[in-house]
Amino acid sequence: MSDKISYLDLSAQIRGIRKEIDAALARALDQCAFCLGPDVAQFEKDFAQFLGAQHCIGFNSGTSALHVAMRLLDIRPGDEVITTPFTFIATSWAISYVGAKPVYVDIDDDTFCLNPGLVEKAITPRTKAIMPVHLYGHPFDIDPILEICRKHKLPLVEDAAQAHGAKYKGKIVGTFGEMSGYSFYPGKNLGACGEGGALVTNNPQFAARAKSLREHGATQRYYHDELGYNYRMEGFQGAVLGVKLKHLQKWTDERRRVAQRYTELLADTPLKLPREAAYAKSAWHLYVVRHPRRDELKKFLDENGIGNALHYPVPLHLQKAYAHLGHKPGDFPIAEKAAREVLSLPIYSELTDAQIQRVAAVIKKFFQE
Ligand SMILES: Cc1ncc(COP(=O)(O)O)c(C=O)c1O
């Protein structure tokens, strides 16, 4: 019982595909296509096909892709976007980058995702979009939110940064809204060897403008139509992602194996375990358990060499960066309780059954002591 178990072991993943990665990087180097280029274009085609979407536009991060999503919808200062307080902060940054206001709506206690039943109350004449998150790889409840969007003529933007290949009622997420944003940050289910992201849409006008916005607002070099950015995906990242995409389904199946095993082994502990909603097939980006004694359990896991993490310890409405919104503790009690109780266990496709058993054994020991 002494071997350490990393929270995440990217080297194990790379070892398994090292030859393919080496060959792809060597080819990219020979081509000298460092910014966008053929590997990025091929990956964009392949990822769009994987999702069943019309267009995928590669970006240098998921944050940039979401920022451009806000630009595509012409969201401006004074506008509001309804979103979740319980996510990685980049979801809110995208809204703030265009000068708009993130309007938070509390989450569902079981899925940790935006609670559709609370959304309509938050709509004002200034609301310009709704941007929920498929958190931890688990889809938010899309249909009731789409219904609200249709009723109020609001676009839906899916933050799918954590949910590559997750399904809602049998269909892959990221294809339900006007557009969606993906992240290929190295630790994601589909991760680059560096930064990366994508904007996905079925709207050809959005796709064309997104391509221009990621390249300084230009469709023709040195002719700039509007304020743009340097948000291009690197050629090397396109090459790496092209290799990894071929393995994604297998890796997701392995994550499901890990999740199922944890669920079996931890069933008789006092932990609240993550469960897929009836409509959902999770991508199992994270396996997040919860318990009121989370901080003690975390310390015990740390002391016993079990990697773990907190996603997320502070909800966005209580972050210092958002103090100007004037929120206080108690505004979004479900998100605040989640932030106090959640704990992410190691989950990756190379995790062995012996390792899963050791994680479970340490957790059981904690509750026996
Ligand atoms: C929910 C969510 N949204 C947005 C992002 C931003 O993606 P990136 O780190 O690629 O900028 C991330 C990833 O970190 C995320 O988890």
PDB file of all heavy atoms in Angstrom, residues 60-66 86-93 133-136 159-162 181-186 188 194-198 285 311-312, ligand 1:
ATOM      1  N   ASN A  60      -6.302  28.603 -30.352  1.00  0.00           N
ATOM      2  CA  ASN A  60      -5.139  28.373 -29.487  1.00  0.00           C
ATOM      3  C   ASN A  60      -5.545  28.062 -28.042  1.00  0.00           C
ATOM      4  O   ASN A  60      -4.693  27.766 -27.225  1.00  0.00           O
ATOM      5  CB  ASN A  60      -4.183  29.572 -29.535  1.00  0.00           C
ATOM      6  CG  ASN A  60      -4.837  30.844 -29.031  1.00  0.00           C
ATOM      7  OD1 ASN A  60      -6.058  30.898 -28.871  1.00  0.00           O
ATOM      8  ND2 ASN A  60      -4.043  31.854 -28.783  1.00  0.00           N
ATOM      9  N   SER A  61      -6.827  28.106 -27.743  1.00  0.00           N
ATOM     10  CA  SER A  61      -7.311  27.652 -26.431  1.00  0.00           C
ATOM     11  C   SER A  61      -8.838  27.606 -26.456  1.00  0.00           C
ATOM     12  O   SER A  61      -9.473  28.220 -27.329  1.00  0.00           O
ATOM     13  CB  SER A  61      -6.848  28.588 -25.297  1.00  0.00           C
ATOM     14  OG  SER A  61      -7.615  29.783 -25.289  1.00  0.00           O
ATOM     15  N   GLY A  62      -9.386  26.911 -25.474  1.00  0.00           N
ATOM     16  CA  GLY A  62     -10.833  26.893 -25.326  1.00  0.00           C
ATOM     17  C   GLY A  62     -11.349  28.261 -24.917  1.00  0.00           C
ATOM     18  O   GLY A  62     -12.442  28.673 -25.331  1.00  0.00           O
ATOM     19  N   THR A  63     -10.571  28.963 -24.103  1.00  0.00           N
ATOM     20  CA  THR A  63     -10.970  30.305 -23.665  1.00  0.00           C
ATOM     21  C   THR A  63     -11.152  31.231 -24.871  1.00  0.00           C
ATOM     22  O   THR A  63     -12.134  31.962 -24.970  1.00  0.00           O
ATOM     23  CB  THR A  63      -9.900  30.893 -22.709  1.00  0.00           C
ATOM     24  OG1 THR A  63      -9.637  29.939 -21.680  1.00  0.00           O
ATOM     25  CG2 THR A  63     -10.348  32.186 -22.092  1.00  0.00           C
ATOM     26  N   SER A  64     -10.183  31.177 -25.808  1.00  0.00           N
ATOM     27  CA  SER A  64     -10.288  32.024 -27.009  1.00  0.00           C
ATOM     28  C   SER A  64     -11.513  31.656 -27.826  1.00  0.00           C
ATOM     29  O   SER A  64     -12.196  32.535 -28.365  1.00  0.00           O
ATOM     30  CB  SER A  64      -9.072  31.871 -27.928  1.00  0.00           C
ATOM     31  OG  SER A  64      -7.901  31.687 -27.240  1.00  0.00           O
ATOM     32  N   ALA A  65     -11.778  30.349 -27.950  1.00  0.00           N
ATOM     33  CA  ALA A  65     -12.929  29.905 -28.744  1.00  0.00           C
ATOM     34  C   ALA A  65     -14.229  30.451 -28.141  1.00  0.00           C
ATOM     35  O   ALA A  65     -15.107  30.949 -28.857  1.00  0.00           O
ATOM     36  CB  ALA A  65     -12.966  28.386 -28.810  1.00  0.00           C
ATOM     37  N   LEU A  66     -14.339  30.408 -26.811  1.00  0.00           N
ATOM     38  CA  LEU A  66     -15.556  30.911 -26.154  1.00  0.00           C
ATOM     39  C   LEU A  66     -15.650  32.436 -26.269  1.00  0.00           C
ATOM     40  O   LEU A  66     -16.735  32.995 -26.426  1.00  0.00           O
ATOM     41  CB  LEU A  66     -15.587  30.477 -24.684  1.00  0.00           C
ATOM     42  CG  LEU A  66     -15.809  28.974 -24.451  1.00  0.00           C
ATOM     43  CD1 LEU A  66     -15.635  28.635 -22.970  1.00  0.00           C
ATOM     44  CD2 LEU A  66     -17.195  28.522 -24.918  1.00  0.00           C
ATOM     45  N   PHE A  86     -20.615  27.516 -11.196  1.00  0.00           N
ATOM     46  CA  PHE A  86     -19.793  26.369 -10.775  1.00  0.00           C
ATOM     47  C   PHE A  86     -19.150  25.733 -12.001  1.00  0.00           C
ATOM     48  O   PHE A  86     -19.667  24.813 -12.609  1.00  0.00           O
ATOM     49  CB  PHE A  86     -20.662  25.352 -10.028  1.00  0.00           C
ATOM     50  CG  PHE A  86     -19.855  24.351  -9.248  1.00  0.00           C
ATOM     51  CD1 PHE A  86     -18.999  24.768  -8.234  1.00  0.00           C
ATOM     52  CD2 PHE A  86     -19.934  23.001  -9.517  1.00  0.00           C
ATOM     53  CE1 PHE A  86     -18.238  23.859  -7.510  1.00  0.00           C
ATOM     54  CE2 PHE A  86     -19.183  22.079  -8.796  1.00  0.00           C
ATOM     55  CZ  PHE A  86     -18.338  22.514  -7.791  1.00  0.00           C
ATOM     56  N   THR A  87     -17.982  26.296 -12.356  1.00  0.00           N
ATOM     57  CA  THR A  87     -17.245  25.875 -13.544  1.00  0.00           C
ATOM     58  C   THR A  87     -15.846  26.443 -13.428  1.00  0.00           C
ATOM     59  O   THR A  87     -15.547  27.209 -12.510  1.00  0.00           O
ATOM     60  CB  THR A  87     -17.937  26.412 -14.819  1.00  0.00           C
ATOM     61  OG1 THR A  87     -17.120  26.136 -15.972  1.00  0.00           O
ATOM     62  CG2 THR A  87     -18.154  27.916 -14.765  1.00  0.00           C
ATOM     63  N   PHE A  88     -14.995  26.089 -14.390  1.00  0.00           N
ATOM     64  CA  PHE A  88     -13.711  26.772 -14.495  1.00  0.00           C
ATOM     65  C   PHE A  88     -13.978  28.208 -14.946  1.00  0.00           C
ATOM     66  O   PHE A  88     -14.880  28.459 -15.752  1.00  0.00           O
ATOM     67  CB  PHE A  88     -12.796  26.038 -15.486  1.00  0.00           C
ATOM     68  CG  PHE A  88     -11.452  26.676 -15.611  1.00  0.00           C
ATOM     69  CD1 PHE A  88     -10.620  26.812 -14.507  1.00  0.00           C
ATOM     70  CD2 PHE A  88     -11.025  27.180 -16.821  1.00  0.00           C
ATOM     71  CE1 PHE A  88      -9.382  27.430 -14.610  1.00  0.00           C
ATOM     72  CE2 PHE A  88      -9.785  27.789 -16.944  1.00  0.00           C
ATOM     73  CZ  PHE A  88      -8.966  27.905 -15.840  1.00  0.00           C
ATOM     74  N   ILE A  89     -13.186  29.138 -14.455  1.00  0.00           N
ATOM     75  CA  ILE A  89     -13.511  30.563 -14.632  1.00  0.00           C
ATOM     76  C   ILE A  89     -13.542  31.022 -16.086  1.00  0.00           C
ATOM     77  O   ILE A  89     -14.168  32.035 -16.422  1.00  0.00           O
ATOM     78  CB  ILE A  89     -12.553  31.440 -13.787  1.00  0.00           C
ATOM     79  CG1 ILE A  89     -13.161  32.822 -13.543  1.00  0.00           C
ATOM     80  CG2 ILE A  89     -11.163  31.483 -14.427  1.00  0.00           C
ATOM     81  CD1 ILE A  89     -12.597  33.559 -12.368  1.00  0.00           C
ATOM     82  N   ALA A  90     -12.920  30.249 -16.985  1.00  0.00           N
ATOM     83  CA  ALA A  90     -12.853  30.670 -18.397  1.00  0.00           C
ATOM     84  C   ALA A  90     -14.233  30.858 -19.015  1.00  0.00           C
ATOM     85  O   ALA A  90     -14.392  31.679 -19.923  1.00  0.00           O
ATOM     86  CB  ALA A  90     -12.046  29.660 -19.206  1.00  0.00           C
ATOM     87  N   THR A  91     -15.221  30.102 -18.550  1.00  0.00           N
ATOM     88  CA  THR A  91     -16.579  30.275 -19.085  1.00  0.00           C
ATOM     89  C   THR A  91     -17.020  31.721 -18.880  1.00  0.00           C
ATOM     90  O   THR A  91     -17.545  32.366 -19.792  1.00  0.00           O
ATOM     91  CB  THR A  91     -17.571  29.331 -18.361  1.00  0.00           C
ATOM     92  OG1 THR A  91     -16.984  28.053 -18.191  1.00  0.00           O
ATOM     93  CG2 THR A  91     -18.870  29.207 -19.128  1.00  0.00           C
ATOM     94  N   SER A  92     -16.783  32.228 -17.684  1.00  0.00           N
ATOM     95  CA  SER A  92     -17.168  33.616 -17.378  1.00  0.00           C
ATOM     96  C   SER A  92     -16.245  34.640 -18.041  1.00  0.00           C
ATOM     97  O   SER A  92     -16.685  35.721 -18.423  1.00  0.00           O
ATOM     98  CB  SER A  92     -17.154  33.855 -15.868  1.00  0.00           C
ATOM     99  OG  SER A  92     -18.409  33.553 -15.310  1.00  0.00           O
ATOM    100  N   TRP A  93     -14.972  34.289 -18.149  1.00  0.00           N
ATOM    101  CA  TRP A  93     -14.045  35.238 -18.819  1.00  0.00           C
ATOM    102  C   TRP A  93     -14.566  35.610 -20.203  1.00  0.00           C
ATOM    103  O   TRP A  93     -14.508  36.762 -20.620  1.00  0.00           O
ATOM    104  CB  TRP A  93     -12.651  34.629 -19.023  1.00  0.00           C
ATOM    105  CG  TRP A  93     -11.712  34.446 -17.893  1.00  0.00           C
ATOM    106  CD1 TRP A  93     -10.684  33.539 -17.869  1.00  0.00           C
ATOM    107  CD2 TRP A  93     -11.596  35.173 -16.651  1.00  0.00           C
ATOM    108  NE1 TRP A  93      -9.973  33.630 -16.697  1.00  0.00           N
ATOM    109  CE2 TRP A  93     -10.511  34.627 -15.933  1.00  0.00           C
ATOM    110  CE3 TRP A  93     -12.316  36.218 -16.070  1.00  0.00           C
ATOM    111  CZ2 TRP A  93     -10.134  35.080 -14.674  1.00  0.00           C
ATOM    112  CZ3 TRP A  93     -11.936  36.686 -14.807  1.00  0.00           C
ATOM    113  CH2 TRP A  93     -10.861  36.115 -14.134  1.00  0.00           C
ATOM    114  N   VAL A 133     -22.547  24.716 -19.010  1.00  0.00           N
ATOM    115  CA  VAL A 133     -21.315  23.928 -19.155  1.00  0.00           C
ATOM    116  C   VAL A 133     -21.634  22.442 -18.974  1.00  0.00           C
ATOM    117  O   VAL A 133     -22.372  22.078 -18.053  1.00  0.00           O
ATOM    118  CB  VAL A 133     -20.278  24.347 -18.082  1.00  0.00           C
ATOM    119  CG1 VAL A 133     -18.992  23.534 -18.202  1.00  0.00           C
ATOM    120  CG2 VAL A 133     -19.977  25.835 -18.182  1.00  0.00           C
ATOM    121  N   HIS A 134     -21.082  21.614 -19.836  1.00  0.00           N
ATOM    122  CA  HIS A 134     -21.169  20.156 -19.639  1.00  0.00           C
ATOM    123  C   HIS A 134     -20.062  19.786 -18.642  1.00  0.00           C
ATOM    124  O   HIS A 134     -18.973  19.370 -19.040  1.00  0.00           O
ATOM    125  CB  HIS A 134     -20.985  19.428 -20.962  1.00  0.00           C
ATOM    126  CG  HIS A 134     -21.984  19.800 -22.014  1.00  0.00           C
ATOM    127  ND1 HIS A 134     -23.324  19.595 -21.856  1.00  0.00           N
ATOM    128  CD2 HIS A 134     -21.834  20.368 -23.242  1.00  0.00           C
ATOM    129  CE1 HIS A 134     -23.968  20.003 -22.956  1.00  0.00           C
ATOM    130  NE2 HIS A 134     -23.085  20.483 -23.802  1.00  0.00           N
ATOM    131  N   LEU A 135     -20.376  19.959 -17.369  1.00  0.00           N
ATOM    132  CA  LEU A 135     -19.316  19.908 -16.360  1.00  0.00           C
ATOM    133  C   LEU A 135     -18.858  18.492 -16.030  1.00  0.00           C
ATOM    134  O   LEU A 135     -19.687  17.587 -15.904  1.00  0.00           O
ATOM    135  CB  LEU A 135     -19.789  20.601 -15.077  1.00  0.00           C
ATOM    136  CG  LEU A 135     -18.652  20.997 -14.144  1.00  0.00           C
ATOM    137  CD1 LEU A 135     -17.856  22.180 -14.682  1.00  0.00           C
ATOM    138  CD2 LEU A 135     -19.176  21.319 -12.752  1.00  0.00           C
ATOM    139  N   TYR A 136     -17.555  18.337 -15.870  1.00  0.00           N
ATOM    140  CA  TYR A 136     -16.907  17.050 -15.547  1.00  0.00           C
ATOM    141  C   TYR A 136     -17.122  16.016 -16.661  1.00  0.00           C
ATOM    142  O   TYR A 136     -16.940  14.811 -16.444  1.00  0.00           O
ATOM    143  CB  TYR A 136     -17.446  16.445 -14.244  1.00  0.00           C
ATOM    144  CG  TYR A 136     -17.411  17.326 -13.012  1.00  0.00           C
ATOM    145  CD1 TYR A 136     -18.314  17.100 -11.962  1.00  0.00           C
ATOM    146  CD2 TYR A 136     -16.475  18.339 -12.859  1.00  0.00           C
ATOM    147  CE1 TYR A 136     -18.284  17.870 -10.812  1.00  0.00           C
ATOM    148  CE2 TYR A 136     -16.440  19.115 -11.706  1.00  0.00           C
ATOM    149  CZ  TYR A 136     -17.347  18.882 -10.693  1.00  0.00           C
ATOM    150  OH  TYR A 136     -17.314  19.646  -9.542  1.00  0.00           O
ATOM    151  N   ASP A 159     -20.626  25.264 -23.458  1.00  0.00           N
ATOM    152  CA  ASP A 159     -19.222  25.111 -23.068  1.00  0.00           C
ATOM    153  C   ASP A 159     -18.980  23.611 -22.918  1.00  0.00           C
ATOM    154  O   ASP A 159     -19.362  22.987 -21.921  1.00  0.00           O
ATOM    155  CB  ASP A 159     -18.929  25.853 -21.757  1.00  0.00           C
ATOM    156  CG  ASP A 159     -17.445  25.752 -21.365  1.00  0.00           C
ATOM    157  OD1 ASP A 159     -16.765  24.829 -21.860  1.00  0.00           O
ATOM    158  OD2 ASP A 159     -16.980  26.575 -20.556  1.00  0.00           O
ATOM    159  N   ALA A 160     -18.361  23.048 -23.968  1.00  0.00           N
ATOM    160  CA  ALA A 160     -18.116  21.602 -24.011  1.00  0.00           C
ATOM    161  C   ALA A 160     -16.641  21.290 -23.755  1.00  0.00           C
ATOM    162  O   ALA A 160     -16.159  20.221 -24.131  1.00  0.00           O
ATOM    163  CB  ALA A 160     -18.562  21.050 -25.364  1.00  0.00           C
ATOM    164  N   ALA A 161     -15.964  22.224 -23.085  1.00  0.00           N
ATOM    165  CA  ALA A 161     -14.513  22.107 -22.878  1.00  0.00           C
ATOM    166  C   ALA A 161     -14.115  20.799 -22.192  1.00  0.00           C
ATOM    167  O   ALA A 161     -13.002  20.308 -22.384  1.00  0.00           O
ATOM    168  CB  ALA A 161     -14.014  23.289 -22.057  1.00  0.00           C
ATOM    169  N   GLN A 162     -15.031  20.240 -21.382  1.00  0.00           N
ATOM    170  CA  GLN A 162     -14.680  19.039 -20.609  1.00  0.00           C
ATOM    171  C   GLN A 162     -15.408  17.802 -21.128  1.00  0.00           C
ATOM    172  O   GLN A 162     -15.382  16.766 -20.463  1.00  0.00           O
ATOM    173  CB  GLN A 162     -15.055  19.243 -19.136  1.00  0.00           C
ATOM    174  CG  GLN A 162     -14.429  20.479 -18.515  1.00  0.00           C
ATOM    175  CD  GLN A 162     -14.664  20.569 -17.016  1.00  0.00           C
ATOM    176  OE1 GLN A 162     -15.390  19.783 -16.431  1.00  0.00           O
ATOM    177  NE2 GLN A 162     -14.025  21.552 -16.384  1.00  0.00           N
ATOM    178  N   GLY A 181     -17.857  25.485 -27.515  1.00  0.00           N
ATOM    179  CA  GLY A 181     -16.416  25.660 -27.366  1.00  0.00           C
ATOM    180  C   GLY A 181     -15.806  24.427 -26.732  1.00  0.00           C
ATOM    181  O   GLY A 181     -16.369  23.867 -25.780  1.00  0.00           O
ATOM    182  N   TYR A 182     -14.686  24.001 -27.281  1.00  0.00           N
ATOM    183  CA  TYR A 182     -13.930  22.864 -26.736  1.00  0.00           C
ATOM    184  C   TYR A 182     -12.563  23.329 -26.293  1.00  0.00           C
ATOM    185  O   TYR A 182     -11.994  24.262 -26.860  1.00  0.00           O
ATOM    186  CB  TYR A 182     -13.749  21.778 -27.817  1.00  0.00           C
ATOM    187  CG  TYR A 182     -14.977  20.923 -27.971  1.00  0.00           C
ATOM    188  CD1 TYR A 182     -15.996  21.315 -28.826  1.00  0.00           C
ATOM    189  CD2 TYR A 182     -15.140  19.756 -27.248  1.00  0.00           C
ATOM    190  CE1 TYR A 182     -17.138  20.563 -28.953  1.00  0.00           C
ATOM    191  CE2 TYR A 182     -16.282  18.990 -27.367  1.00  0.00           C
ATOM    192  CZ  TYR A 182     -17.280  19.397 -28.218  1.00  0.00           C
ATOM    193  OH  TYR A 182     -18.416  18.648 -28.336  1.00  0.00           O
ATOM    194  N   SER A 183     -12.025  22.640 -25.305  1.00  0.00           N
ATOM    195  CA  SER A 183     -10.641  22.876 -24.890  1.00  0.00           C
ATOM    196  C   SER A 183      -9.823  21.621 -25.154  1.00  0.00           C
ATOM    197  O   SER A 183     -10.301  20.507 -24.956  1.00  0.00           O
ATOM    198  CB  SER A 183     -10.585  23.197 -23.389  1.00  0.00           C
ATOM    199  OG  SER A 183      -9.239  23.123 -22.931  1.00  0.00           O
ATOM    200  N   PHE A 184      -8.598  21.830 -25.618  1.00  0.00           N
ATOM    201  CA  PHE A 184      -7.665  20.707 -25.748  1.00  0.00           C
ATOM    202  C   PHE A 184      -6.458  20.907 -24.833  1.00  0.00           C
ATOM    203  O   PHE A 184      -5.344  20.505 -25.154  1.00  0.00           O
ATOM    204  CB  PHE A 184      -7.215  20.552 -27.220  1.00  0.00           C
ATOM    205  CG  PHE A 184      -8.356  20.436 -28.179  1.00  0.00           C
ATOM    206  CD1 PHE A 184      -8.523  21.374 -29.195  1.00  0.00           C
ATOM    207  CD2 PHE A 184      -9.285  19.419 -28.067  1.00  0.00           C
ATOM    208  CE1 PHE A 184      -9.583  21.288 -30.086  1.00  0.00           C
ATOM    209  CE2 PHE A 184     -10.357  19.323 -28.945  1.00  0.00           C
ATOM    210  CZ  PHE A 184     -10.506  20.256 -29.956  1.00  0.00           C
ATOM    211  N   TYR A 185      -6.691  21.560 -23.718  1.00  0.00           N
ATOM    212  CA  TYR A 185      -5.655  21.694 -22.678  1.00  0.00           C
ATOM    213  C   TYR A 185      -5.137  20.281 -22.376  1.00  0.00           C
ATOM    214  O   TYR A 185      -5.909  19.318 -22.418  1.00  0.00           O
ATOM    215  CB  TYR A 185      -6.302  22.338 -21.436  1.00  0.00           C
ATOM    216  CG  TYR A 185      -5.325  22.637 -20.337  1.00  0.00           C
ATOM    217  CD1 TYR A 185      -4.428  23.703 -20.441  1.00  0.00           C
ATOM    218  CD2 TYR A 185      -5.299  21.852 -19.183  1.00  0.00           C
ATOM    219  CE1 TYR A 185      -3.533  23.969 -19.430  1.00  0.00           C
ATOM    220  CE2 TYR A 185      -4.397  22.123 -18.168  1.00  0.00           C
ATOM    221  CZ  TYR A 185      -3.515  23.187 -18.301  1.00  0.00           C
ATOM    222  OH  TYR A 185      -2.623  23.446 -17.299  1.00  0.00           O
ATOM    223  N   PRO A 186      -3.830  20.123 -22.093  1.00  0.00           N
ATOM    224  CA  PRO A 186      -3.247  18.770 -22.035  1.00  0.00           C
ATOM    225  C   PRO A 186      -4.007  17.750 -21.179  1.00  0.00           C
ATOM    226  O   PRO A 186      -4.047  16.573 -21.533  1.00  0.00           O
ATOM    227  CB  PRO A 186      -1.841  19.025 -21.482  1.00  0.00           C
ATOM    228  CG  PRO A 186      -1.517  20.410 -21.933  1.00  0.00           C
ATOM    229  CD  PRO A 186      -2.815  21.166 -21.920  1.00  0.00           C
ATOM    230  N   LYS A 188      -7.153  17.478 -20.675  1.00  0.00           N
ATOM    231  CA  LYS A 188      -8.525  17.180 -21.107  1.00  0.00           C
ATOM    232  C   LYS A 188      -8.590  15.772 -21.728  1.00  0.00           C
ATOM    233  O   LYS A 188      -7.565  15.193 -22.075  1.00  0.00           O
ATOM    234  CB  LYS A 188      -8.982  18.229 -22.135  1.00  0.00           C
ATOM    235  CG  LYS A 188      -9.095  19.633 -21.539  1.00  0.00           C
ATOM    236  CD  LYS A 188     -10.276  19.716 -20.586  1.00  0.00           C
ATOM    237  CE  LYS A 188     -10.678  21.132 -20.265  1.00  0.00           C
ATOM    238  NZ  LYS A 188      -9.905  21.751 -19.171  1.00  0.00           N
ATOM    239  N   GLY A 194       0.277  21.030 -25.422  1.00  0.00           N
ATOM    240  CA  GLY A 194       0.334  22.482 -25.290  1.00  0.00           C
ATOM    241  C   GLY A 194      -1.102  22.962 -25.224  1.00  0.00           C
ATOM    242  O   GLY A 194      -1.997  22.197 -24.883  1.00  0.00           O
ATOM    243  N   GLU A 195      -1.313  24.221 -25.597  1.00  0.00           N
ATOM    244  CA  GLU A 195      -2.676  24.768 -25.541  1.00  0.00           C
ATOM    245  C   GLU A 195      -3.431  24.479 -26.839  1.00  0.00           C
ATOM    246  O   GLU A 195      -2.827  24.351 -27.903  1.00  0.00           O
ATOM    247  CB  GLU A 195      -2.620  26.294 -25.348  1.00  0.00           C
ATOM    248  CG  GLU A 195      -1.812  26.771 -24.162  1.00  0.00           C
ATOM    249  CD  GLU A 195      -2.580  26.716 -22.844  1.00  0.00           C
ATOM    250  OE1 GLU A 195      -3.796  26.457 -22.861  1.00  0.00           O
ATOM    251  OE2 GLU A 195      -1.943  26.940 -21.794  1.00  0.00           O
ATOM    252  N   GLY A 196      -4.736  24.433 -26.750  1.00  0.00           N
ATOM    253  CA  GLY A 196      -5.559  24.276 -27.954  1.00  0.00           C
ATOM    254  C   GLY A 196      -7.030  24.358 -27.622  1.00  0.00           C
ATOM    255  O   GLY A 196      -7.437  24.122 -26.480  1.00  0.00           O
ATOM    256  N   GLY A 197      -7.832  24.715 -28.608  1.00  0.00           N
ATOM    257  CA  GLY A 197      -9.278  24.771 -28.423  1.00  0.00           C
ATOM    258  C   GLY A 197      -9.971  24.747 -29.769  1.00  0.00           C
ATOM    259  O   GLY A 197      -9.312  24.748 -30.814  1.00  0.00           O
ATOM    260  N   ALA A 198     -11.280  24.711 -29.748  1.00  0.00           N
ATOM    261  CA  ALA A 198     -12.037  24.728 -31.004  1.00  0.00           C
ATOM    262  C   ALA A 198     -13.404  25.340 -30.788  1.00  0.00           C
ATOM    263  O   ALA A 198     -13.985  25.221 -29.707  1.00  0.00           O
ATOM    264  CB  ALA A 198     -12.202  23.316 -31.558  1.00  0.00           C
ATOM    265  N   HIS A 285     -14.823  12.963 -17.791  1.00  0.00           N
ATOM    266  CA  HIS A 285     -13.584  13.749 -17.687  1.00  0.00           C
ATOM    267  C   HIS A 285     -13.055  13.703 -16.251  1.00  0.00           C
ATOM    268  O   HIS A 285     -11.863  13.523 -16.022  1.00  0.00           O
ATOM    269  CB  HIS A 285     -13.845  15.186 -18.127  1.00  0.00           C
ATOM    270  CG  HIS A 285     -12.668  16.085 -17.946  1.00  0.00           C
ATOM    271  ND1 HIS A 285     -11.417  15.771 -18.442  1.00  0.00           N
ATOM    272  CD2 HIS A 285     -12.535  17.277 -17.316  1.00  0.00           C
ATOM    273  CE1 HIS A 285     -10.570  16.731 -18.116  1.00  0.00           C
ATOM    274  NE2 HIS A 285     -11.218  17.648 -17.430  1.00  0.00           N
ATOM    275  N   HIS A 311     -12.314  20.528  -7.908  1.00  0.00           N
ATOM    276  CA  HIS A 311     -12.944  21.228  -9.031  1.00  0.00           C
ATOM    277  C   HIS A 311     -14.375  21.607  -8.642  1.00  0.00           C
ATOM    278  O   HIS A 311     -15.266  20.814  -8.818  1.00  0.00           O
ATOM    279  CB  HIS A 311     -12.993  20.344 -10.269  1.00  0.00           C
ATOM    280  CG  HIS A 311     -11.670  19.878 -10.743  1.00  0.00           C
ATOM    281  ND1 HIS A 311     -11.147  18.649 -10.429  1.00  0.00           N
ATOM    282  CD2 HIS A 311     -10.753  20.507 -11.526  1.00  0.00           C
ATOM    283  CE1 HIS A 311      -9.958  18.520 -10.999  1.00  0.00           C
ATOM    284  NE2 HIS A 311      -9.697  19.618 -11.666  1.00  0.00           N
ATOM    285  N   TYR A 312     -14.589  22.732  -8.043  1.00  0.00           N
ATOM    286  CA  TYR A 312     -13.700  23.869  -7.867  1.00  0.00           C
ATOM    287  C   TYR A 312     -13.914  24.366  -6.455  1.00  0.00           C
ATOM    288  O   TYR A 312     -15.051  24.337  -5.968  1.00  0.00           O
ATOM    289  CB  TYR A 312     -14.024  24.935  -8.903  1.00  0.00           C
ATOM    290  CG  TYR A 312     -13.785  24.396 -10.305  1.00  0.00           C
ATOM    291  CD1 TYR A 312     -14.790  23.733 -10.988  1.00  0.00           C
ATOM    292  CD2 TYR A 312     -12.534  24.499 -10.901  1.00  0.00           C
ATOM    293  CE1 TYR A 312     -14.557  23.199 -12.249  1.00  0.00           C
ATOM    294  CE2 TYR A 312     -12.289  23.980 -12.163  1.00  0.00           C
ATOM    295  CZ  TYR A 312     -13.312  23.310 -12.822  1.00  0.00           C
ATOM    296  OH  TYR A 312     -13.064  22.752 -14.062  1.00  0.00           O
TER     297      TYR A 312
HETATM  298  C1  LIG B   1     -15.398  24.361 -18.420  1.00  0.00           C
HETATM  299  C2  LIG B   1     -14.215  24.981 -19.096  1.00  0.00           C
HETATM  300  N1  LIG B   1     -14.398  26.051 -19.888  1.00  0.00           N
HETATM  301  C3  LIG B   1     -13.384  26.617 -20.537  1.00  0.00           C
HETATM  302  C4  LIG B   1     -12.093  26.149 -20.406  1.00  0.00           C
HETATM  303  C5  LIG B   1     -10.998  26.887 -21.072  1.00  0.00           C
HETATM  304  O1  LIG B   1     -10.195  26.115 -21.904  1.00  0.00           O
HETATM  305  P1  LIG B   1      -8.645  26.433 -22.077  1.00  0.00           P
HETATM  306  O2  LIG B   1      -7.942  26.061 -20.829  1.00  0.00           O
HETATM  307  O3  LIG B   1      -8.262  25.582 -23.258  1.00  0.00           O
HETATM  308  O4  LIG B   1      -8.522  27.875 -22.395  1.00  0.00           O
HETATM  309  C6  LIG B   1     -11.850  25.030 -19.613  1.00  0.00           C
HETATM  310  C7  LIG B   1     -10.524  24.419 -19.481  1.00  0.00           C
HETATM  311  O5  LIG B   1      -9.647  24.698 -18.852  1.00  0.00           O
HETATM  312  C8  LIG B   1     -12.939  24.441 -18.917  1.00  0.00           C
HETATM  313  O6  LIG B   1     -12.746  23.395 -18.111  1.00  0.00           O
END
